[in-house]
């Protein structure tokens, strides 16, 4: 009994130290990234994954089943969309305009808080992994804080779309934790978590190459055992790589000769090394396409530098195995997106901050082991100062993600010719009701890239808002000619045709949009046009389909009620108006129609 009590007293300070370290990691994440909890959606992919995703808005079991059965937006990541769907349910708000200026029916704060939570959990797992390697709390804490606070992590945490990458990374770290504890039950759990990570984002294919050097520092299994255990993981990763390649369309700008792909990868590695050491001038789109990287005069010097680093790591593997392991973890985490094989985003840039998320476990490992081996205190002081500086830089970078306009302004400050920056800031200004500002950015993008379908589409929307519908129709025509399946292009052209009274052609465009995307507002506006053409009987089923497939607003029900009243179905019209008023009891149009229906019923 006394021995047990003594053991408890000995363990208590140790447990307290671990709890304090965990609390410090969580507080640090909150201080740096907590501001993003109040940020809006970014009109760069956030809308595609959330409120313009027809399988999530509104959330439904059928929509979720579709996302498990089919790829969406050129990726098969059903687990990530399952989490998106759950958050969409939680984020539904009666007055979403209080939280977002994007017109989304969801509260974006729910998504942002989730991102921060996922990141903090990943940092905690990094801490526990480092503790097992170095067996000391303070060095492990320092390494985990480097992982948590590095400015390269900001894009993943502050951008709702990267919930996919955060979830995948968390599952990878959980899988790694289970794998390093040995035993077949642990291996089965690790394998299951690895598959889940791949279902969150295919970048998780890097985990097998990360697991070997990390585990070697803890368990030092035989190579035969690694072949038996990691071999199946590599086979699973290969299946997901083939699946991803099969559903992605690789733009011509992402293509480069196979023989020169290693040079592209070397240039990307050199870039990431520089940003890891000095994370300044960060951007969403660095404009480093394969052709840009290959055209740089320093590409051969960078390639030689990478070769020299590999040689040094090889010769250092016995004397400093931890340094070699850290280098492998860093490079392996980046391997799927170095450009050795083409991928879609390469048409904008081979490199991106979010691609470095998991790989930063490598520098965290190197720092933790180096500090654990030192016998003097000053390296801890230097590391502490560096962490404060990195945290300050990350906090400042995080602030840029407050809105689409703020992050795209920052983007254009780094890369003035960024198509992502020009198109998305133009789109944001259109949404904000500032079409003249939008026009300037969009015309600049078209001047740089006449085949930018999105720029033509958004310019058309800006011109409509300026009352220049005839010019807008030309831009819509150009957008559709460049990309016939461009989302909402036919819908927006239909709206333009409505504005000039060309109702028959407007119906044709709405039909095109419905056939391509099933976009519910296209059905609604088709119904409105049919009502204007005095064809209410045709409008009723169209509007009912829109209501069944989308998230209905007050106006959807009022238009349905109008069509029903015009065809003499007064009781049905009254029921539709009741649903409209249930959404907004103060809606004037609905109240007016209700009064008219009441008078009709009294006759």
């Amino acid at each position: 009994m006394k021995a047990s009590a003594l053991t408890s007293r000995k363990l208590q300070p140790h447990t307290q130290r671990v709890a304090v370290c965990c609390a410090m990691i969580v507080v640090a994440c909150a201080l740096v990234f907590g501001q993003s909890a109040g940020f809006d959606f970014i009109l760069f992919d956030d809308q595609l994954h959330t409120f313009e995703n027809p399988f999530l808005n509104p959330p439904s079991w059928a929509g979720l089943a579709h996302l498990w059965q089919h790829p969406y937006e050129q990726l098969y990541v059903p687990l990530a969309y399952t989490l998106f769907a759950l958050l969409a349910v939680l984020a539904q708000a009666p007055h979403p305009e209080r939280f977002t200026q994007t017109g989304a029916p969801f509260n974006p704060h729910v998504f942002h808080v989730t991102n921060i939570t996922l990141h903090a959990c990943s940092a905690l797992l990094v801490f526990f992994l480092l503790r097992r390697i170095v067996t000391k709390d303070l060095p492990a804490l320092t390494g985990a804080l480097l992982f948590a606070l590095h400015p390269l992590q900001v894009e993943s945490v502050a951008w709702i779309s990267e919930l996919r990458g955060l979830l995948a990374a968390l599952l990878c770290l959980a899988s790694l934790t289970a794998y390093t504890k040995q035993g077949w039950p642990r291996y089965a759990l690790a394998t299951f978590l690895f598959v889940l990570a791949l279902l969150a984002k295919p970048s998780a294919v890097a985990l097998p190459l990360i697991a070997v050097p990390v585990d070697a520092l803890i368990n030092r299994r035989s190579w035969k055992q690694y072949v038996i255990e990691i071999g199946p993981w590599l086979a699973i990763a290969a299946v997901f790589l083939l699946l991803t390649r099969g559903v992605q369309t690789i733009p011509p700008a992402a293509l480069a000769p196979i023989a020169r792909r290693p040079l592209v990868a070397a240039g990307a590695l050199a870039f990431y090394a520089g940003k890891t050491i000095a994370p300044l001038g960060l951007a969403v789109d660095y404009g480093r396409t394969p052709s840009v990287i290959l055209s740089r005069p320093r590409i051969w010097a960078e390639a030689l530098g990478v070769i020299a680093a590999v040689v040094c790591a090889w010769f250092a593997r016995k004397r400093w195995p931890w340094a070699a392991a850290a280098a492998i973890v860093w490079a392996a985490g980046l391997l799927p997106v170095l450009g050795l094989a083409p991928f879609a985003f390469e048409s904008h840039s081979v490199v991106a901050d979010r691609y470095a998320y998991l790989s930063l476990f490598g520098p965290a490992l190197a720092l933790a082991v180096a500090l654990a081996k030192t016998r003097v205190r000053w390296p801890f002081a230097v590391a502490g100062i560096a962490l404060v500086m990195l945290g300050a830089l990350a906090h400042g970078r995080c602030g840029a993600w407050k809105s689409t306009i703020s992050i795209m302004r920052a983007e254009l400050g780094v890369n003035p010719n960024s198509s992502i920056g020009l198109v998305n800031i133009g789109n944001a200004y259109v949404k904000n009701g500032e079409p003249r500002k939008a026009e300037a950015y969009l015309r600049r993008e078209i001047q740089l890239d006449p085949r930018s379908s999105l720029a033509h589409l958004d310019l058309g929307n800006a011109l409509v808002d300026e009352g220049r519908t005839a010019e807008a129709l030309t831009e819509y025509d150009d957008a559709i000619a460049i990309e016939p399946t461009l989302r909402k292009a036919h819908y927006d052209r239909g709206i333009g045709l409505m504005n000039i009274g060309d109702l028959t052609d407007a119906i044709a465009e709405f039909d095109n949009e419905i056939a391509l995307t099933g976009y519910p507002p296209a059905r609604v506006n088709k119904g409105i046009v049919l009502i204007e053409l005095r064809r209410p009987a045709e409008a009723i089923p169209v509007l009912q389909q829109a209501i069944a497939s989308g998230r209905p607003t007050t106006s959807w029900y009022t238009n349905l009620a109008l069509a029903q009243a015009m065809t003499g179905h007064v009781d049905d019209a009254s029921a539709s108006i009741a649903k409209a008023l249930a959404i907004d009891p103060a809606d004037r149009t609905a109240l007016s129609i209700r009064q008219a229906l009441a008078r009709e019923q009294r006759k």
Side-chain angles (χ1 to χ4, degrees):
M1 190 70 156
K2 290 182 179 178
S4 176
L6 180 62
T7 302
S8 176
R9 285 196 297 272
K10 285 183 177 179
L11 287 175
Q12 189 175 10
H14 169 73
T15 305
Q16 288 178 343
R17 285 197 302 273
V18 172
V20 169
C21 289
C22 291
M24 290 179 67
I25 292 169
V26 171
V27 170
C29 289
L31 288 174
V32 172
F33 301 105
Q35 59 182 310
S36 67
F39 290 175
D40 203 347
F41 291 104
I42 302 297
L43 295 176
F44 170 46
D45 284 2
D46 281 358
Q47 72 276 29
L48 295 178
H49 299 302
T50 57
F51 59 90
E52 287 187 7
N53 184 337
F55 308 107
L56 292 186
N57 184 17
S60 68
W61 290 111
L64 188 58
H66 179 91
L67 291 168
W68 275 93
Q69 295 166 4
H70 305 278
Y72 174 72
E73 289 296 317
Q74 300 191 46
L75 277 180
Y76 182 69
V77 288
L79 186 64
Y81 285 119
T82 300
L83 181 54
F84 271 128
L86 174 61
L87 296 177
V89 172
L90 297 174
Q92 295 181 93
H95 298 287
E97 65 277 2
R98 298 175 183 174
F99 310 106
T100 176
Q101 297 180 341
T102 62
F106 304 136
N107 180 350
H109 304 169
V110 174
F111 296 88
H112 281 299
V113 169
T114 303
N115 272 22
I116 297 168
T117 303
L118 291 173
H119 179 58
C121 290
S122 291
L124 289 172
L125 284 179
V126 168
F127 167 70
F128 285 112
L129 280 166
L130 294 178
R131 253 184 97 251
R132 294 192 62 211
I133 294 170
V134 302
T135 67
K136 295 180 180 179
D137 292 333
L138 187 56
L141 171 63
T142 309
L145 287 174
L146 174 62
F147 175 88
L149 303 181
H150 199 285
L152 283 175
Q153 306 291 48
V154 172
E155 181 171 296
S156 295
V157 182
W159 188 18
I160 288 173
S161 294
E162 265 311 288
L163 176 144
R164 301 165 302 163
L166 289 172
L167 179 59
L170 177 61
L171 290 167
C172 281
L173 291 167
S175 174
L176 188 57
T177 301
Y179 179 71
T180 55
K181 291 187 177 180
Q182 295 189 309
W184 285 107
R186 299 280 185 172
Y187 175 72
L189 175 61
T191 303
F192 175 67
L193 291 170
F194 174 47
V195 173
L196 289 182
L198 290 166
L199 291 170
K201 196 173 183 183
S203 57
V205 295
L207 180 61
L209 301 180
I210 293 173
V212 173
V214 173
D215 181 77
L217 294 175
I218 300 173
N219 298 311
R220 296 177 181 168
R221 310 180 208 211
S222 67
W223 280 108
K224 181 180 178 181
Q225 196 169 358
Y226 282 128
V227 170
I228 293 172
E229 295 174 350
I230 299 299
W233 285 19
L234 291 172
I236 293 170
V239 171
F240 275 85
L241 281 173
L242 291 173
L243 175 63
T244 302
R245 185 64 187 273
V247 301
Q248 277 199 350
T249 301
I250 307 300
L255 300 177
I258 294 176
R260 307 202 75 189
R261 283 276 166 185
L263 282 176
V264 173
L269 275 174
F271 171 87
Y272 285 118
K275 292 297 182 186
T276 301
I277 296 168
L280 303 172
L282 301 183
V284 178
D285 167 22
Y286 290 99
R288 292 187 173 227
T289 61
S291 60
V292 169
I293 291 176
L294 292 171
S295 66
R296 298 174 71 245
R298 293 186 297 175
I299 185 62
W300 288 103
E302 290 171 347
L304 290 173
V306 170
I307 293 171
V310 171
V311 171
C312 290
W314 173 259
F315 284 107
R317 72 190 189 282
K318 292 184 178 180
R319 186 172 180 182
W320 298 298
W322 57 272
I328 293 171
V329 169
W330 176 75
L334 294 167
L335 187 61
V337 286
L338 285 179
L340 289 171
F343 55 93
F345 193 72
E346 276 190 5
S347 61
H348 296 287
S349 181
V350 174
V351 296
D353 294 357
R354 60 189 177 277
Y355 297 156
Y357 186 85
L358 186 58
S359 73
L360 283 172
F361 180 49
L365 171 60
L367 178 62
V369 177
L371 290 176
K373 289 181 175 293
T374 187
R375 296 182 179 180
V376 293
R377 294 181 180 274
W378 66 263
F380 286 93
V382 173
I385 293 170
L387 287 174
V388 171
M389 294 174 64
L390 289 173
L393 287 172
H395 186 274
R397 175 64 178 165
C398 188
W401 284 87
K402 185 175 183 179
S403 68
T404 306
I405 290 175
S406 61
I407 187 58
M408 293 308 159
R409 278 178 178 167
E411 166 65 27
L412 294 172
V414 177
N415 180 6
N417 295 331
S418 166
S419 62
I420 288 175
L422 292 169
V423 170
N424 285 289
I425 197 170
N427 183 27
Y429 276 125
V430 171
K431 298 281 187 184
N432 282 7
E434 300 178 84
R436 289 193 179 278
K437 287 184 179 180
E439 183 180 353
Y441 287 105
L442 295 167
R443 289 199 183 281
R444 182 174 160 196
E445 166 61 11
I446 291 170
Q447 184 178 16
L448 292 168
D449 180 10
R451 293 193 58 77
S452 175
S453 57
L454 284 173
H456 285 289
L457 176 62
D458 289 335
L459 178 56
N461 293 335
L463 292 171
V464 165
D465 289 349
E466 291 182 52
R468 297 154 62 186
T469 304
E471 295 176 62
L473 290 173
T474 300
E475 298 300 330
Y476 292 141
D477 289 340
D478 289 343
I480 293 169
I482 295 166
E483 189 177 348
T485 59
L486 180 62
R487 184 179 178 83
K488 289 183 66 179
H490 291 283
Y491 170 78
D492 289 339
R493 189 173 189 277
I495 296 295
L497 291 167
M498 281 180 68
N499 289 343
I500 61 173
D502 191 346
L503 301 184
T504 302
D505 285 347
I507 288 177
E509 290 296 354
F510 293 138
D511 282 335
N512 287 333
E513 186 66 39
I514 292 166
L516 286 170
T517 67
Y519 189 47
R523 297 185 193 275
V524 173
N525 281 280
K526 178 183 177 181
I528 292 171
V529 172
L530 289 170
I531 291 171
E532 291 187 26
L533 291 172
R534 299 293 175 181
R535 294 156 59 184
E538 296 176 56
I540 290 172
V542 173
L543 291 165
Q544 288 173 333
Q545 284 180 319
I547 290 169
S549 61
R551 182 182 292 274
T553 65
T554 304
S555 65
W556 294 19
Y557 282 112
T558 55
N559 280 294
L560 176 59
L562 184 59
Q564 290 167 331
M566 291 172 69
T567 55
H569 297 88
V570 177
D571 291 340
D572 290 342
S574 296
S576 297
I577 286 299
K579 292 177 181 178
L581 291 171
I583 298 173
D584 185 1
D587 186 81
R588 293 183 178 181
T589 303
L591 291 170
S592 176
I593 294 176
R594 186 176 68 174
Q595 290 175 353
L597 291 172
R599 287 194 299 269
E600 185 67 24
Q601 288 173 323
R602 286 196 296 268
K603 291 181 180 180

